[in-house]
Amino acid sequence: MISVDSYRGTVSDLLGRAPVTTVPLAGAAGLVLAQDVHAGVSLPPFDNSAMDGYAVRAADIAGASVARPATLPVADDIPAGRVDVAPLEPGTVHRIMTGAPLPPGADAVVMVEDTDGGTSSVVISAAPAAGTHVRRTGEDVVKGTLALHAGTVLGHSQLGLAAAVGLAELAVYRPLSVLVVSTGTELVEAPNPLRHGQIYESNSVMLAAALRGLGCRVDVVRSVVDDVAEFRAVIEPKLAEADLLVTSGGVSAGAYEVVKDALTGQGVEFRKVAMQPGGPQGCGRWNGVPVVTLPGNPVSVLVSFEAFLRPALLSAMGHTDVDRRRVRARLTEPMSSPAARRQFRRGFYTPTEGEVTGQVGPRGGPGSHLLAAFTQANCLIVLPEDVTEVAEGDEVDVLLL
């Protein structure tokens, strides 16, 4: 058997790094920046007012107060957006709005609350020092300097900064296109009625939702029957549009393992991973397209996604933080684990106020078919390969979902 860590590396190496593409800012949210961004302009690009008020020469109103206000003529109005700003002559003020360019000669702004709001002349009852309420050129970002690092996940603030320094598009790692295929003759799609021996198909629904949550583009083929010729006929025409094929089911040691039968000798290697659940796995390339094959039981699918697919896909799309947050927690009840397997158990983690270590208890048993227990979990309890028994109160590793 191969170890969990070794197989994780194999899957990550298989996917590599996504291509770089250029997209408009409106389509870049959630993607990862592929190239450093340097500011095309300074922010602010010019000295401007931080307040609605009056642009002044600080020396002209030195000593002004409520008891002894200064009165000066208003020589001009400067709204935001004005481009033809005249210099401020000594002994005068300009009425100015927030964001408007500071006139040459002015060195401070008196906010309107410290005046009578006059338009031809104004009574000023405060004496701000030079530089008060003035936003200086380049105070936030200097033209030509690094504004955003490659590897940055583009959220609303990052996109706002890119727009503010004059960019309309960005180079990003392209979201991967994933073809999701669920297999099994026993699978039926709701709301069709079930016959005895059949189950409703759920794996593709879970996988597609999880993949879209990472930013992937997803195409789904549901409920392919256990027939090798049909599997190949349905899937092969779709490979040209896929960066990755992910299958569920048909990879174990049974007599009707359609994925294993169809892809053995086609560039995909099937192996056992030392874990519970999710031992039967496979990966490789089929017709040049990366393939990851997962077991069929729903909990095995979700655990395999967390252990292998999620970190590999995030890394491929440029993310550097690809791991779930790991914490230590005290067990609320004893647990057991098979020897030489890394066990992933669904659990519910509760932080303990004032303490570093919280508490965690399992949800449901270890069975890979117990999907309902996963909906009640907020973490995975991880028991290492060399541990078979843990007692109530013992500390364990927990991956927060």
Side-chain angles (χ1 to χ4, degrees):
M1 285 190 294
I2 189 173
S3 72
V4 171
D5 295 333
S6 179
Y7 189 65
R8 170 175 160 153
T10 299
V11 173
S12 183
D13 291 343
L14 176 69
L15 293 184
R17 184 57 62 89
V20 175
T21 187
T22 301
V23 299
L25 297 188
L31 303 183
V32 177
L33 189 63
Q35 299 172 2
D36 288 344
V37 169
H38 290 83
V41 298
S42 292
L43 294 181
F46 49 85
D47 291 355
N48 70 86
S49 177
M51 293 283 180
D52 293 334
Y54 296 84
V56 301
R57 294 173 181 264
D60 287 343
I61 57 169
S65 65
V66 173
R68 298 185 64 181
T71 302
L72 286 89
V74 178
D76 203 356
D77 254 358
I78 312 176
R82 184 169 172 180
V83 297
D84 57 340
V85 178
L88 178 67
E89 298 298 331
T92 69
V93 303
H94 289 180
R95 193 168 67 149
I96 193 168
M97 302 301 123
T98 302
L102 199 71
D107 59 7
V109 173
V110 180
M111 59 184 182
V112 69
E113 291 86 350
D114 289 329
T115 73
D116 68 349
T119 57
S120 57
S121 65
V122 63
V123 177
I124 298 174
S125 55
T132 302
H133 303 316
V134 175
R135 301 167 177 162
R136 294 299 183 189
T137 304
E139 187 177 306
D140 190 13
V141 177
V142 175
K143 180 180 179 179
T145 60
L146 186 64
L148 292 170
H149 290 271
T152 298
V153 180
L154 296 168
H156 52 276
S157 59
Q158 291 79 17
L159 293 173
L161 178 58
V165 297
L167 295 177
E169 56 187 22
L170 291 168
V172 298
Y173 293 103
R174 177 172 61 77
L176 294 181
S177 295
V178 183
L179 175 61
V180 173
V181 178
S182 62
T183 67
T185 302
E186 76 279 13
L187 302 178
V188 174
E189 296 178 31
N192 295 318
L194 291 179
R195 298 172 61 188
H196 184 69
Q198 296 180 325
I199 60 172
Y200 284 123
E201 195 279 320
S202 61
N203 284 346
S204 71
V205 176
M206 295 189 300
L207 276 172
L211 291 163
R212 290 187 182 110
L214 300 183
C216 297
R217 299 168 181 149
V218 182
D219 186 19
V220 176
V221 178
R222 300 182 69 183
S223 309
V224 178
V225 298
D226 294 326
D227 180 271
V228 169
E230 182 165 344
F231 177 88
R232 289 177 174 165
V234 170
I235 304 308
E236 279 188 299
K238 291 180 168 286
L239 291 178
E241 303 298 322
D243 297 308
L244 171 67
L245 167 64
V246 178
T247 68
S248 65
V251 297
S252 194
Y256 299 96
E257 305 296 343
V258 64
V259 175
K260 197 172 187 179
D261 294 342
L263 299 184
T264 296
Q266 301 296 312
V268 178
E269 184 178 355
F270 296 88
R271 59 189 74 187
K272 289 280 190 178
V273 179
M275 63 188 293
Q276 185 197 54
Q281 300 282 341
C283 69
R285 289 182 179 272
W286 182 27
N287 292 338
V289 177
V291 178
V292 175
T293 69
L294 307 180
N297 280 315
V299 176
S300 297
V301 168
L302 291 176
V303 169
S304 299
F305 172 83
E306 289 292 334
F308 309 124
L309 273 177
R310 183 181 184 275
L313 285 164
L314 286 174
S315 179
M317 293 187 289
H319 292 262
T320 55
D321 184 9
V322 302
D323 293 315
R324 295 289 194 182
R325 182 184 168 206
R326 184 183 292 262
V327 298
R328 296 285 285 177
R330 294 186 304 276
L331 280 172
T332 59
E333 60 184 83
M335 293 175 58
S336 61
S337 180
R341 303 284 199 280
R342 185 179 303 181
Q343 188 181 65
F344 296 87
R345 287 283 296 275
R346 292 133 286 170
F348 194 87
Y349 170 79
T350 305
T352 303
E353 187 175 353
E355 297 185 24
V356 175
T357 305
Q359 292 188 330
V360 68
R363 290 294 183 269
S368 59
H369 62 295
L370 301 173
L371 180 58
F374 222 129
T375 69
Q376 303 159 14
N378 64 2
C379 69
L380 289 174
I381 303 168
V382 183
L383 302 183
E385 291 83 345
D386 60 350
V387 172
T388 57
E389 300 288 339
V390 282
E392 179 181 345
D394 284 352
E395 287 192 8
V396 293
D397 280 333
V398 169
L399 299 177
L400 301 182
L401 299 179

